[in-house]
Each structure stands twice: as C-alpha cells, then as structure tokens.
Amino acid sequence: ESVANADPGVQQAIAGLDLSMAVDVSDGPDGDFTYHIAISDGKVAIGRGDLDEPDARVRNSYDVAARMARGELGNQMALLTGKIKISGGLGKLVKHQGTLDQIQAILSDVDATY
C-alpha cells in the first residue's frame, strides 16, 4: 500500500475519494480469507480482514485473485467474464474503475509470491 500511496498519479486520483471494499477469496492454499481495500483521507489502506460496512463486497477464487494481483487479469475483464462477483456498491466501483485500475497496476509491480 505504501507503493500506491507514494505514487503521484494515485494521490491525485484518490483526493477526496471515500471508497471501501472487502474481498472474499476462496480456495487459497491455507483456506478461504478476506482482505480489504479502503481509500479515504488521501490514503490507500490494504490489509487482511474484513470491514464493518464496506461499500462493496467482491468474491473470487485464489487463482483469480493472484492473476489480478499480478496484472494478468484486469478488474473489468474479471467482472465481465464472471470471474468475480460483486455485491453492494457496484455503481461506486464502476464510477471509480480508473482509480482502482491504477492502484492494481502499481501493485502488480510489487514482487510477491502467490
């Protein structure tokens, strides 16, 4: 998340934005888990665990989550092909799709093991 917070383009895109989502991931090597992305006060916060009242809830498999994290599968394509399911504030996510894509692109450059 510090990578996203340090990026000037992301900082400009998230100025004044208040958006949160919980992501439920199934079929992980250690079982199912949830992580969250919260954007507020000009900061992006990403972490394990749920949120009390996220704007939206996204559900996908570990394989899909890993492909998205590596930048192999974009948010919009994952939604259009049924790889992810969204409940709650779909409209809010769609409205801020460009910002979420920007964050995903930056995070896909982070060296991680899946």
XYZ file of all heavy atoms in Angstrom:
832
model
N 0.808 -1.198 0.000
C 0.000 0.000 0.000
C 0.845 1.254 0.000
O 0.445 2.263 -0.534
C -0.991 -0.025 1.152
C -0.391 0.240 2.504
C -1.302 -0.114 3.659
O -1.898 -1.203 3.664
O -1.417 0.723 4.544
N 2.062 1.193 0.589
C 2.916 2.382 0.589
C 3.344 2.738 -0.831
O 3.544 3.911 -1.135
C 4.128 2.182 1.496
O 4.923 1.116 1.029
N 3.459 1.737 -1.702
C 3.794 1.992 -3.100
C 2.688 2.810 -3.748
O 2.944 3.785 -4.446
C 4.009 0.658 -3.867
C 4.218 0.900 -5.336
C 5.165 -0.120 -3.278
N 1.447 2.439 -3.508
C 0.316 3.178 -4.069
C 0.226 4.571 -3.468
O -0.039 5.548 -4.173
C -0.988 2.413 -3.838
N 0.475 4.687 -2.174
C 0.386 5.990 -1.516
C 1.492 6.937 -1.960
O 1.338 8.152 -1.874
C 0.407 5.826 0.002
C -0.910 5.296 0.529
O -1.973 5.691 0.073
N -0.846 4.381 1.473
N 2.600 6.406 -2.448
C 3.714 7.241 -2.881
C 3.581 7.687 -4.338
O 4.302 8.580 -4.779
C 5.033 6.481 -2.696
N 2.681 7.094 -5.079
C 2.544 7.405 -6.497
C 1.751 8.701 -6.695
O 0.607 8.797 -6.246
C 1.837 6.249 -7.214
C 1.771 6.471 -8.700
O 0.803 7.122 -9.163
O 2.685 6.004 -9.396
N 2.332 9.708 -7.374
C 1.633 10.986 -7.563
C 0.319 10.845 -8.334
O -0.658 11.533 -8.039
C 2.623 11.833 -8.355
C 3.954 11.184 -8.155
C 3.689 9.736 -7.920
N 0.262 9.945 -9.313
C -0.969 9.747 -10.074
C -2.076 9.197 -9.207
O -3.242 9.608 -9.325
N -1.734 8.262 -8.338
C -2.725 7.706 -7.420
C -3.166 8.781 -6.436
O -4.359 8.921 -6.163
C -2.185 6.461 -6.679
C -3.118 6.044 -5.552
C -1.992 5.306 -7.653
N -2.227 9.529 -5.924
C -2.576 10.580 -4.979
C -3.570 11.564 -5.579
O -4.522 11.968 -4.921
C -1.317 11.320 -4.504
C -0.498 10.536 -3.519
C -1.320 10.186 -2.294
O -1.790 11.049 -1.576
N -1.514 8.900 -2.072
N -3.358 11.919 -6.826
C -4.282 12.830 -7.493
C -5.646 12.159 -7.680
O -6.683 12.781 -7.468
C -3.716 13.254 -8.842
C -4.581 14.246 -9.570
C -3.968 14.686 -10.884
O -2.927 14.214 -11.305
N -4.633 15.610 -11.547
N -5.649 10.883 -8.064
C -6.900 10.175 -8.330
C -7.734 9.943 -7.074
O -8.960 9.918 -7.145
C -6.602 8.837 -9.006
N -7.088 9.768 -5.920
C -7.837 9.449 -4.699
C -8.168 10.671 -3.850
O -8.843 10.540 -2.837
C -7.116 8.386 -3.839
C -5.797 8.915 -3.275
C -6.937 7.099 -4.616
C -5.144 7.974 -2.275
N -7.721 11.832 -4.271
C -8.014 13.042 -3.498
C -9.523 13.192 -3.333
O -10.274 13.201 -4.303
C -7.429 14.268 -4.196
N -9.985 13.234 -2.107
C -11.399 13.404 -1.810
C -12.246 12.151 -1.969
O -13.449 12.192 -1.759
N -11.630 11.037 -2.340
C -12.385 9.798 -2.558
C -12.542 9.023 -1.253
O -11.611 8.899 -0.475
C -11.645 8.929 -3.584
C -12.267 7.579 -3.937
C -13.679 7.748 -4.490
C -11.384 6.854 -4.952
N -13.735 8.509 -1.041
C -14.030 7.652 0.102
C -14.657 6.376 -0.465
O -15.802 6.392 -0.917
C -14.991 8.363 1.058
C -15.248 7.558 2.318
O -14.444 6.674 2.643
O -16.280 7.814 2.969
N -13.889 5.287 -0.471
C -14.311 4.043 -1.092
C -13.714 2.877 -0.329
O -12.530 2.903 0.008
C -13.833 4.005 -2.550
C -14.049 2.723 -3.339
C -15.534 2.491 -3.583
C -13.305 2.792 -4.663
N -14.535 1.865 -0.060
C -14.016 0.685 0.627
C -14.636 -0.574 0.046
O -15.784 -0.562 -0.386
C -14.298 0.755 2.127
O -15.691 0.732 2.371
N -13.842 -1.633 0.036
C -14.374 -2.915 -0.404
C -13.679 -4.036 0.330
O -12.510 -3.945 0.689
C -14.250 -3.093 -1.913
C -12.876 -3.116 -2.461
S -13.034 -3.215 -4.260
C -11.357 -3.535 -4.691
N -14.455 -5.064 0.580
C -13.939 -6.288 1.178
C -13.871 -7.321 0.060
O -14.752 -7.380 -0.796
C -14.851 -6.769 2.294
N -12.811 -8.108 0.062
C -12.617 -9.119 -0.978
C -12.545 -10.485 -0.306
O -11.629 -10.742 0.481
C -11.340 -8.840 -1.795
C -11.194 -9.868 -2.904
C -11.346 -7.420 -2.360
N -13.530 -11.327 -0.598
C -13.568 -12.688 -0.077
C -12.914 -13.609 -1.103
O -13.361 -13.669 -2.258
C -15.007 -13.141 0.168
C -15.713 -12.300 1.218
O -15.055 -11.871 2.174
O -16.931 -12.075 1.065
N -11.870 -14.306 -0.678
C -11.111 -15.177 -1.573
C -11.297 -16.623 -1.117
O -11.081 -16.947 0.050
C -9.613 -14.802 -1.570
C -8.827 -15.713 -2.503
C -9.422 -13.339 -1.958
N -11.690 -17.484 -2.048
C -11.901 -18.897 -1.730
C -10.781 -19.753 -2.316
O -10.073 -19.319 -3.228
C -13.245 -19.364 -2.289
O -13.248 -19.265 -3.703
N -10.638 -20.931 -1.775
C -9.722 -21.952 -2.313
C -8.246 -21.564 -2.250
O -7.466 -21.984 -3.103
C -10.101 -22.316 -3.756
C -11.532 -22.788 -3.871
O -11.998 -23.497 -2.952
O -12.202 -22.432 -4.862
N -7.854 -20.803 -1.241
C -6.444 -20.471 -1.067
C -5.672 -21.648 -0.501
O -6.272 -22.608 0.009
N -4.354 -21.622 -0.574
C -3.548 -22.719 -0.045
C -3.789 -22.975 1.447
O -3.668 -24.106 1.909
C -2.110 -22.282 -0.286
C -2.161 -21.070 -1.120
C -3.562 -20.573 -1.157
N -4.151 -21.915 2.179
C -4.439 -22.040 3.611
C -5.927 -21.858 3.902
O -6.309 -21.521 5.022
C -3.621 -21.016 4.401
C -2.133 -21.254 4.273
O -1.725 -22.436 4.251
O -1.379 -20.270 4.155
N -6.752 -22.035 2.892
C -8.192 -21.885 3.068
C -8.703 -20.540 2.585
O -7.986 -19.762 1.960
N -9.942 -20.256 2.901
C -10.583 -19.010 2.500
C -10.118 -17.866 3.395
O -9.776 -18.083 4.560
C -12.101 -19.137 2.609
C -12.669 -20.240 1.722
O -11.934 -20.764 0.865
O -13.853 -20.570 1.904
N -10.109 -16.657 2.843
C -9.732 -15.483 3.634
C -10.359 -14.241 3.023
O -10.876 -14.273 1.913
C -8.210 -15.333 3.745
C -7.505 -15.113 2.423
C -7.251 -13.830 1.953
C -7.096 -16.187 1.653
C -6.603 -13.630 0.743
C -6.445 -16.002 0.447
C -6.202 -14.725 -0.015
N -10.310 -13.157 3.780
C -10.830 -11.870 3.343
C -9.754 -10.817 3.530
O -9.023 -10.830 4.508
C -12.080 -11.477 4.167
O -13.084 -12.484 3.974
C -12.635 -10.131 3.743
N -9.664 -9.921 2.548
C -8.815 -8.739 2.711
C -9.637 -7.523 2.301
O -10.744 -7.658 1.782
C -7.500 -8.857 1.936
C -7.598 -8.780 0.430
C -7.455 -7.566 -0.241
C -7.807 -9.921 -0.338
C -7.526 -7.496 -1.616
C -7.870 -9.859 -1.718
C -7.728 -8.641 -2.354
O -7.801 -8.572 -3.719
N -9.119 -6.363 2.570
C -9.882 -5.152 2.266
C -9.000 -4.095 1.624
O -7.775 -4.102 1.786
C -10.535 -4.579 3.530
C -9.539 -4.177 4.566
N -9.106 -5.045 5.534
C -8.881 -3.016 4.772
C -8.220 -4.420 6.297
N -8.072 -3.190 5.850
N -9.663 -3.221 0.912
C -9.040 -2.025 0.344
C -9.915 -0.862 0.770
O -11.128 -0.875 0.532
C -8.959 -2.092 -1.190
C -8.135 -3.305 -1.629
C -8.379 -0.793 -1.759
C -8.168 -3.576 -3.123
N -9.321 0.101 1.424
C -10.064 1.278 1.872
C -9.317 2.521 1.426
O -8.109 2.639 1.644
C -10.214 1.266 3.390
N -10.030 3.419 0.791
C -9.455 4.681 0.325
C -10.196 5.798 1.033
O -11.420 5.924 0.896
C -9.602 4.832 -1.201
C -8.943 3.647 -1.927
C -9.023 6.156 -1.664
C -9.278 3.568 -3.403
N -9.461 6.574 1.809
C -10.048 7.734 2.475
C -8.925 8.633 2.962
O -7.791 8.188 3.137
C -10.950 7.323 3.641
O -10.203 6.713 4.657
N -9.256 9.877 3.166
C -8.291 10.872 3.657
C -7.011 10.888 2.827
O -5.916 11.065 3.352
C -7.950 10.616 5.127
C -9.165 10.728 6.030
O -10.027 11.586 5.747
O -9.256 9.959 7.008
N -7.136 10.654 1.516
C -5.981 10.708 0.632
C -5.012 9.549 0.779
O -3.862 9.637 0.360
N -5.452 8.439 1.354
C -4.586 7.271 1.578
C -5.279 6.005 1.114
O -6.498 5.880 1.209
C -4.233 7.113 3.056
C -3.468 8.262 3.646
C -2.028 8.212 3.217
C -1.278 9.351 3.889
N -0.065 9.680 3.231
N -4.465 5.050 0.676
C -4.944 3.718 0.344
C -4.485 2.787 1.463
O -3.294 2.763 1.795
C -4.354 3.219 -0.992
C -4.807 1.793 -1.287
C -4.717 4.151 -2.132
N -5.400 2.040 2.045
C -5.067 1.054 3.074
C -5.521 -0.317 2.575
O -6.663 -0.489 2.167
C -5.754 1.382 4.389
N -4.600 -1.268 2.590
C -4.885 -2.627 2.149
C -4.443 -3.557 3.264
O -3.336 -3.412 3.791
C -4.124 -2.968 0.855
C -4.474 -1.961 -0.246
C -4.422 -4.392 0.407
C -3.589 -2.037 -1.464
N -5.284 -4.509 3.624
C -4.891 -5.421 4.690
C -5.783 -6.636 4.771
O -6.843 -6.696 4.154
N -5.334 -7.599 5.543
C -6.128 -8.803 5.792
C -7.266 -8.464 6.730
O -7.153 -7.585 7.578
C -5.266 -9.886 6.451
C -4.391 -10.673 5.509
C -5.227 -11.713 4.762
N -4.397 -12.523 3.912
C -4.255 -13.830 4.042
N -4.878 -14.477 4.992
N -3.500 -14.493 3.220
N -8.363 -9.155 6.564
C -9.509 -8.956 7.432
C -10.637 -8.243 6.724
O -10.480 -7.712 5.629
N -11.773 -8.243 7.375
C -12.996 -7.680 6.822
C -13.164 -6.235 7.273
O -12.429 -5.744 8.118
C -14.184 -8.525 7.297
C -15.346 -8.511 6.330
O -15.417 -7.603 5.477
O -16.197 -9.409 6.435
N -14.141 -5.574 6.700
C -14.562 -4.244 7.114
C -15.984 -4.334 7.635
O -16.761 -5.178 7.177
C -14.510 -3.275 5.923
C -13.139 -3.017 5.316
C -13.294 -2.231 4.014
C -12.258 -2.264 6.287
N -16.340 -3.465 8.571
C -17.685 -3.496 9.131
C -18.762 -3.227 8.081
O -19.737 -3.947 7.991
C -17.821 -2.495 10.276
C -17.089 -2.955 11.522
O -16.877 -4.170 11.679
O -16.717 -2.086 12.336
N -18.593 -2.181 7.309
C -19.590 -1.814 6.310
C -18.913 -1.359 5.026
O -18.907 -0.167 4.712
C -20.500 -0.715 6.850
C -21.356 -1.150 8.022
C -22.308 -0.066 8.476
O -22.794 0.708 7.629
O -22.569 -0.007 9.692
N -18.372 -2.308 4.251
C -17.724 -1.892 3.008
C -18.754 -1.391 1.994
O -19.927 -1.790 2.036
C -17.059 -3.181 2.508
C -17.875 -4.280 3.100
C -18.342 -3.750 4.433
N -18.314 -0.529 1.106
C -19.194 -0.059 0.035
C -19.591 -1.215 -0.878
O -20.691 -1.224 -1.419
C -18.497 1.019 -0.800
C -18.253 2.286 -0.006
O -19.179 2.722 0.709
O -17.145 2.836 -0.090
N -18.686 -2.158 -1.058
C -18.951 -3.307 -1.924
C -18.197 -4.522 -1.393
O -17.210 -4.393 -0.668
C -18.519 -3.011 -3.355
N -18.686 -5.683 -1.776
C -18.027 -6.942 -1.430
C -17.752 -7.682 -2.729
O -18.643 -7.847 -3.563
C -18.901 -7.784 -0.506
C -18.236 -9.094 -0.095
C -18.953 -9.752 1.072
N -18.929 -8.936 2.277
C -17.910 -8.868 3.137
N -16.813 -9.552 2.918
N -18.001 -8.125 4.217
N -16.511 -8.108 -2.890
C -16.084 -8.821 -4.085
C -15.771 -10.257 -3.671
O -15.139 -10.487 -2.647
C -14.827 -8.159 -4.696
C -14.338 -8.924 -5.907
C -15.105 -6.700 -5.043
N -16.203 -11.210 -4.490
C -15.922 -12.626 -4.226
C -15.221 -13.205 -5.442
O -15.659 -13.008 -6.576
C -17.214 -13.386 -3.959
C -17.852 -13.013 -2.639
C -19.189 -13.751 -2.423
N -19.738 -13.454 -1.124
C -20.403 -12.345 -0.814
N -20.604 -11.434 -1.722
N -20.888 -12.151 0.398
N -14.120 -13.924 -5.166
C -13.414 -14.609 -6.237
C -12.582 -15.749 -5.673
O -12.532 -15.957 -4.462
C -12.557 -13.648 -7.062
C -11.485 -12.940 -6.273
O -11.030 -13.413 -5.246
N -11.066 -11.789 -6.737
N -11.946 -16.487 -6.551
C -11.096 -17.599 -6.117
C -9.664 -17.103 -5.945
O -9.285 -16.038 -6.445
C -11.130 -18.720 -7.157
O -10.463 -18.306 -8.335
N -8.878 -17.903 -5.263
C -7.473 -17.571 -5.052
C -6.745 -17.415 -6.387
O -5.960 -16.495 -6.578
C -6.812 -18.662 -4.205
C -5.369 -18.393 -3.891
C -5.019 -17.546 -2.845
C -4.355 -18.979 -4.630
C -3.694 -17.287 -2.548
C -3.028 -18.739 -4.337
C -2.703 -17.883 -3.295
O -1.397 -17.631 -3.014
N -7.019 -18.318 -7.331
C -6.375 -18.253 -8.636
C -6.680 -16.930 -9.326
O -5.785 -16.279 -9.864
C -6.831 -19.434 -9.511
C -6.265 -19.360 -10.908
O -5.018 -19.383 -11.053
O -7.056 -19.267 -11.874
N -7.938 -16.516 -9.313
C -8.326 -15.257 -9.937
C -7.689 -14.082 -9.204
O -7.160 -13.159 -9.828
C -9.867 -15.123 -9.993
C -10.291 -13.716 -10.383
C -10.446 -16.150 -10.953
N -7.711 -14.100 -7.876
C -7.112 -13.016 -7.092
C -5.622 -12.881 -7.404
O -5.106 -11.770 -7.561
C -7.326 -13.261 -5.601
N -4.925 -14.006 -7.516
C -3.484 -13.978 -7.823
C -3.246 -13.440 -9.231
O -2.333 -12.624 -9.446
C -2.884 -15.368 -7.660
N -4.051 -13.868 -10.190
C -3.903 -13.369 -11.568
C -4.155 -11.867 -11.633
O -3.461 -11.139 -12.345
C -4.838 -14.129 -12.500
C -4.404 -15.574 -12.713
C -5.322 -16.386 -13.601
N -5.596 -15.714 -14.855
C -6.771 -15.776 -15.493
N -7.768 -16.478 -14.989
N -6.944 -15.144 -16.630
N -5.131 -11.402 -10.885
C -5.421 -9.968 -10.854
C -4.275 -9.210 -10.185
O -3.863 -8.156 -10.667
C -6.751 -9.707 -10.150
C -7.943 -10.204 -10.944
S -9.512 -9.998 -10.088
C -9.666 -8.206 -10.126
N -3.766 -9.750 -9.091
C -2.672 -9.091 -8.370
C -1.409 -8.994 -9.224
O -0.654 -8.032 -9.123
C -2.376 -9.836 -7.069
N -1.188 -9.990 -10.075
C -0.011 -9.965 -10.958
C -0.231 -9.114 -12.201
O 0.672 -8.930 -13.001
C 0.352 -11.392 -11.377
C 0.928 -12.240 -10.261
C 1.465 -13.561 -10.782
N 0.453 -14.378 -11.417
C -0.164 -15.421 -10.850
N 0.125 -15.760 -9.609
N -1.065 -16.112 -11.515
N -1.439 -8.614 -12.383
C -1.746 -7.800 -13.543
C -2.062 -8.607 -14.794
O -2.115 -8.066 -15.893
N -2.306 -9.891 -14.629
C -2.624 -10.757 -15.761
C -4.107 -10.691 -16.133
O -4.492 -11.098 -17.227
C -2.262 -12.208 -15.436
C -0.787 -12.406 -15.179
C -0.473 -13.766 -14.578
O -1.395 -14.595 -14.394
O 0.711 -13.998 -14.278
N -4.927 -10.224 -15.222
C -6.363 -10.136 -15.423
C -6.836 -8.817 -14.835
O -6.640 -8.558 -13.646
C -7.073 -11.318 -14.736
C -8.588 -11.380 -14.812
C -9.062 -11.523 -16.263
C -9.105 -12.540 -13.974
N -7.430 -7.982 -15.656
C -7.908 -6.682 -15.202
C -9.234 -6.772 -14.482
O -9.991 -7.740 -14.641
N -9.519 -5.760 -13.685
C -10.762 -5.711 -12.918
C -11.994 -5.852 -13.813
O -12.884 -6.647 -13.535
C -10.861 -4.389 -12.149
C -9.788 -4.240 -11.106
O -9.389 -5.201 -10.475
N -9.320 -3.018 -10.923
N -12.053 -5.065 -14.875
C -13.229 -5.063 -15.735
C -13.401 -6.407 -16.444
O -14.510 -6.937 -16.517
C -13.138 -3.935 -16.754
C -14.390 -3.771 -17.568
C -14.352 -2.538 -18.455
O -13.328 -1.887 -18.593
N -15.462 -2.223 -19.070
N -12.312 -6.980 -16.955
C -12.411 -8.268 -17.635
C -12.841 -9.365 -16.665
O -13.634 -10.233 -17.021
C -11.070 -8.623 -18.286
C -11.133 -9.897 -19.117
S -12.384 -9.877 -20.429
C -11.708 -8.690 -21.539
N -12.331 -9.310 -15.441
C -12.728 -10.304 -14.436
C -14.223 -10.225 -14.162
O -14.901 -11.251 -14.048
C -11.935 -10.105 -13.154
N -14.752 -9.025 -14.096
C -16.185 -8.844 -13.859
C -17.004 -9.304 -15.068
O -17.967 -10.060 -14.932
C -16.493 -7.380 -13.534
C -17.953 -7.037 -13.286
C -18.506 -7.805 -12.100
C -18.113 -5.541 -13.086
N -16.600 -8.870 -16.245
C -17.353 -9.196 -17.455
C -17.369 -10.687 -17.767
O -18.322 -11.187 -18.367
C -16.795 -8.423 -18.655
C -17.010 -6.910 -18.625
C -16.295 -6.242 -19.789
C -18.496 -6.576 -18.631
N -16.317 -11.402 -17.377
C -16.240 -12.839 -17.655
C -16.742 -13.685 -16.492
O -16.644 -14.909 -16.530
C -14.800 -13.252 -18.016
O -13.921 -12.902 -16.939
C -14.341 -12.587 -19.299
N -17.278 -13.039 -15.454
C -17.850 -13.771 -14.330
C -16.829 -14.367 -13.380
O -17.170 -15.200 -12.542
N -15.577 -13.943 -13.473
C -14.532 -14.457 -12.586
C -14.667 -13.896 -11.175
O -14.183 -14.485 -10.224
C -13.137 -14.129 -13.123
C -12.876 -14.615 -14.520
C -12.443 -16.037 -14.507
C -12.049 -16.428 -15.928
N -12.232 -17.819 -16.186
N -15.285 -12.712 -11.064
C -15.553 -12.123 -9.754
C -17.038 -11.806 -9.660
O -17.699 -11.558 -10.664
C -14.711 -10.845 -9.488
C -15.037 -9.742 -10.493
C -13.235 -11.160 -9.470
C -14.365 -8.418 -10.202
N -17.539 -11.818 -8.450
C -18.925 -11.448 -8.166
C -18.888 -10.255 -7.226
O -18.088 -10.223 -6.281
C -19.673 -12.600 -7.491
C -19.651 -13.899 -8.271
C -20.464 -13.810 -9.524
C -20.493 -15.173 -10.204
N -20.658 -15.096 -11.612
N -19.741 -9.293 -7.469
C -19.771 -8.081 -6.646
C -21.164 -7.895 -6.082
O -22.160 -8.000 -6.799
C -19.365 -6.840 -7.459
C -17.930 -6.997 -7.979
C -19.499 -5.579 -6.614
C -17.473 -5.881 -8.881
N -21.217 -7.615 -4.788
C -22.479 -7.248 -4.159
C -22.291 -5.902 -3.482
O -21.186 -5.525 -3.122
C -22.925 -8.316 -3.152
O -21.958 -8.498 -2.151
N -23.367 -5.194 -3.339
C -23.271 -3.869 -2.729
C -23.100 -2.808 -3.795
O -23.782 -2.829 -4.802
N -22.160 -1.922 -3.572
C -21.984 -0.730 -4.393
C -21.288 -0.914 -5.719
O -20.244 -0.303 -5.963
N -21.849 -1.718 -6.596
C -21.257 -1.912 -7.912
C -21.105 -0.584 -8.647
O -20.070 -0.314 -9.260
C -22.092 -2.893 -8.745
C -21.621 -3.123 -10.182
C -20.213 -3.686 -10.209
C -22.591 -4.031 -10.913
N -22.107 0.262 -8.565
C -22.052 1.561 -9.235
C -20.878 2.404 -8.780
O -20.215 3.057 -9.587
N -20.609 2.373 -7.493
C -19.487 3.153 -6.955
C -18.154 2.586 -7.451
O -17.248 3.338 -7.787
C -19.537 3.162 -5.427
C -18.628 4.187 -4.795
C -18.918 4.346 -3.319
C -18.071 5.461 -2.725
N -18.354 5.670 -1.300
N -18.049 1.267 -7.517
C -16.817 0.661 -8.032
C -16.627 0.997 -9.508
O -15.514 1.321 -9.934
C -16.831 -0.858 -7.838
C -16.765 -1.381 -6.416
C -16.696 -2.900 -6.415
C -15.595 -0.794 -5.650
N -17.706 0.918 -10.278
C -17.620 1.233 -11.702
C -17.241 2.697 -11.897
O -16.400 3.031 -12.745
C -18.948 0.895 -12.422
C -18.963 1.440 -13.835
C -19.169 -0.610 -12.430
N -17.824 3.574 -11.104
C -17.528 5.007 -11.204
C -16.042 5.280 -10.984
O -15.458 6.152 -11.617
C -18.361 5.781 -10.186
C -18.107 7.264 -10.190
C -18.972 7.983 -9.186
C -18.677 9.466 -9.191
N -19.491 10.177 -8.202
N -15.422 4.520 -10.108
C -14.014 4.749 -9.766
C -13.102 3.655 -10.332
O -12.011 3.427 -9.826
C -13.867 4.860 -8.250
C -14.635 6.013 -7.695
N -14.304 7.322 -7.935
C -15.775 6.048 -6.944
C -15.175 8.123 -7.351
N -16.078 7.374 -6.751
N -13.561 3.007 -11.407
C -12.810 1.920 -12.021
C -11.405 2.353 -12.442
O -10.441 1.619 -12.259
C -13.565 1.377 -13.235
C -12.913 0.186 -13.882
C -12.845 -1.002 -12.934
O -13.818 -1.323 -12.285
N -11.709 -1.625 -12.851
N -11.274 3.533 -12.996
C -9.961 4.021 -13.432
C -8.971 4.102 -12.283
O -7.811 3.701 -12.412
N -9.431 4.593 -11.149
C -8.573 4.683 -9.966
C -8.196 3.299 -9.464
O -7.031 3.041 -9.152
C -9.286 5.472 -8.852
O -9.578 6.780 -9.335
C -8.424 5.565 -7.604
N -9.157 2.390 -9.419
C -8.863 1.025 -8.969
C -7.899 0.327 -9.924
O -7.005 -0.402 -9.492
C -10.167 0.241 -8.819
C -11.098 0.743 -7.717
C -12.448 0.057 -7.800
C -10.465 0.562 -6.346
N -8.053 0.576 -11.228
C -7.120 0.010 -12.209
C -5.717 0.562 -11.994
O -4.726 -0.161 -12.119
C -7.575 0.314 -13.636
C -8.774 -0.505 -14.072
O -9.083 -1.531 -13.425
O -9.408 -0.111 -15.075
N -5.628 1.839 -11.695
C -4.339 2.480 -11.447
C -3.647 1.845 -10.238
O -2.452 1.543 -10.281
C -4.586 3.974 -11.191
C -3.506 4.877 -11.618
C -3.947 6.344 -11.463
O -5.102 6.667 -11.165
N -3.016 7.233 -11.662
N -4.381 1.631 -9.178
C -3.834 1.004 -7.973
C -3.417 -0.431 -8.278
O -2.329 -0.869 -7.900
C -4.844 1.066 -6.810
C -5.045 2.520 -6.376
C -4.386 0.197 -5.639
C -6.213 2.742 -5.441
N -4.260 -1.161 -9.014
C -3.931 -2.542 -9.373
C -2.650 -2.599 -10.193
O -1.792 -3.457 -9.965
C -5.074 -3.186 -10.157
C -4.782 -4.620 -10.567
C -5.870 -5.225 -11.437
O -6.739 -4.525 -11.944
N -5.813 -6.526 -11.612
N -2.480 -1.684 -11.144
C -1.283 -1.676 -11.988
C -0.022 -1.431 -11.165
O 1.003 -2.092 -11.365
C -1.420 -0.623 -13.083
N -0.100 -0.524 -10.224
C 1.062 -0.233 -9.377
C 1.391 -1.426 -8.496
O 2.545 -1.830 -8.371
C 0.815 1.029 -8.533
C 0.822 2.255 -9.451
C 1.850 1.178 -7.423
C 0.292 3.489 -8.802
N 0.371 -2.015 -7.897
C 0.603 -3.145 -7.001
C 1.059 -4.388 -7.736
O 1.744 -5.240 -7.165
C -0.655 -3.426 -6.185
C -1.055 -2.307 -5.206
C -2.349 -2.667 -4.508
C 0.043 -2.015 -4.208
N 0.729 -4.510 -9.019
C 1.155 -5.693 -9.777
C 2.670 -5.709 -9.983
O 3.241 -6.764 -10.255
C 0.426 -5.782 -11.108
O 0.874 -4.779 -11.999
N 3.297 -4.563 -9.822
C 4.766 -4.494 -9.945
C 5.491 -4.907 -8.660
O 6.704 -5.042 -8.663
C 5.200 -3.082 -10.334
C 4.829 -2.742 -11.779
O 4.657 -3.687 -12.573
O 4.716 -1.547 -12.093
N 4.747 -5.066 -7.569
C 5.339 -5.467 -6.301
C 5.668 -6.944 -6.364
O 4.839 -7.771 -6.732
C 4.388 -5.160 -5.118
C 4.949 -5.698 -3.810
C 4.129 -3.670 -5.016
N 6.898 -7.300 -6.010
C 7.334 -8.689 -6.031
C 6.663 -9.457 -4.892
O 6.850 -9.136 -3.722
C 8.853 -8.767 -5.898
C 9.381 -10.172 -6.112
O 8.720 -10.963 -6.794
O 10.474 -10.462 -5.582
N 5.831 -10.434 -5.245
C 5.119 -11.223 -4.234
C 5.011 -12.665 -4.724
O 5.048 -12.933 -5.925
C 3.734 -10.641 -3.997
N 4.852 -13.562 -3.787
C 4.665 -14.972 -4.103
C 3.216 -15.342 -3.848
O 2.665 -14.992 -2.809
C 5.589 -15.855 -3.222
O 6.931 -15.439 -3.450
C 5.423 -17.302 -3.575
N 2.613 -16.081 -4.783
C 1.215 -16.494 -4.643
C 1.130 -17.996 -4.588
O 1.912 -18.694 -5.115
C 0.370 -15.960 -5.812
C 0.393 -14.464 -5.874
C 1.292 -13.822 -6.725
C -0.428 -13.717 -5.069
C 1.320 -12.436 -6.764
C -0.400 -12.338 -5.111
C 0.496 -11.708 -5.971
O 0.529 -10.348 -6.004
